[in-house]
Amino acid sequence: DTIALAGTTVTGITQGITSASQFRLTTSFTGDAAPIASNWEEVDTDGYGRLGTAVSQSSGIFTFPATGIWHIISVMTHIEGSAAIAYALNKIETTTNNSSYGTATVSYNSFEGNGYYMTNSSNFIFDVTDTSTHKVRLSTNAQDTSTTTMGDTNINRTYITFIRLGAT
């Protein structure tokens, strides 16, 4: 349907969501990573659909293609290797000066014993006012050094989603 307007100025109309992309960890690793600097790929299986220009990634640092308000969703899957009770965490870290990173969100989850899987997620709304200085990275650490963060090149086990909600 269309609306005909004559002699009227229309304001306040926005495009809505203009960008959405997702990256996943392709290979599992054991131990801590601050940041998770390698083995990232943009999702490319099972009908994945990017909207607009994807966020880019280099050495675990994610750079936004446009300014705006971005919803960042991080999901990590871990498996405990040896401890009876342990925890692992998922951190979204941000910078607004392309140098020093702060912890924007952190989520903890605990294992009930050796061989158990655990998934935790973190979310953050990030106001990207300058694409050259506002960046994101993920970190993880666990109570037990035998904890493995799961990756897979064919399915999302540990992944991050970026959705541009609108203008800043």
Side-chain angles (χ1 to χ4, degrees), residues 145-168:
T145 58
S146 69
T147 300
T148 298
T149 301
M150 306 299 291
D152 193 313
T153 191
N154 296 308
I155 60 174
N156 291 359
R157 292 183 187 267
T158 296
Y159 57 95
I160 186 166
T161 304
F162 299 95
I163 303 169
R164 185 179 181 275
L165 301 175
T168 186

Side-chain angles (χ1 to χ4, degrees), residues 128-149:
V128 178
T129 58
D130 185 332
T131 60
S132 67
T133 59
H134 289 58
K135 300 184 181 188
V136 171
R137 66 186 189 188
L138 295 182
S139 293
T140 187
N141 72 317
Q143 179 182 5
D144 182 62
T145 58
S146 69
T147 300
T148 298
T149 301

Side-chain angles (χ1 to χ4, degrees), residues 25-93:
L25 188 65
T26 61
T27 305
S28 299
F29 66 89
T30 300
D32 299 344
I36 302 173
S38 60
N39 300 314
W40 288 105
E41 72 173 0
E42 185 177 4
V43 174
D44 59 359
T45 56
D46 301 307
Y48 167 71
R50 176 199 313 157
L51 177 63
T53 303
V55 168
S56 61
Q57 182 276 141
S58 177
S59 299
I61 306 299
F62 294 91
T63 302
F64 297 89
T67 60
I69 306 297
W70 289 81
H71 186 192
I72 304 162
I73 306 155
S74 168
V75 176
M76 291 185 189
T77 301
H78 303 278
I79 184 170
E80 176 51 42
S82 64
I85 299 174
Y87 68 83
L89 62 84
N90 174 352
K91 283 201 289 190
I92 296 175
E93 299 173 323

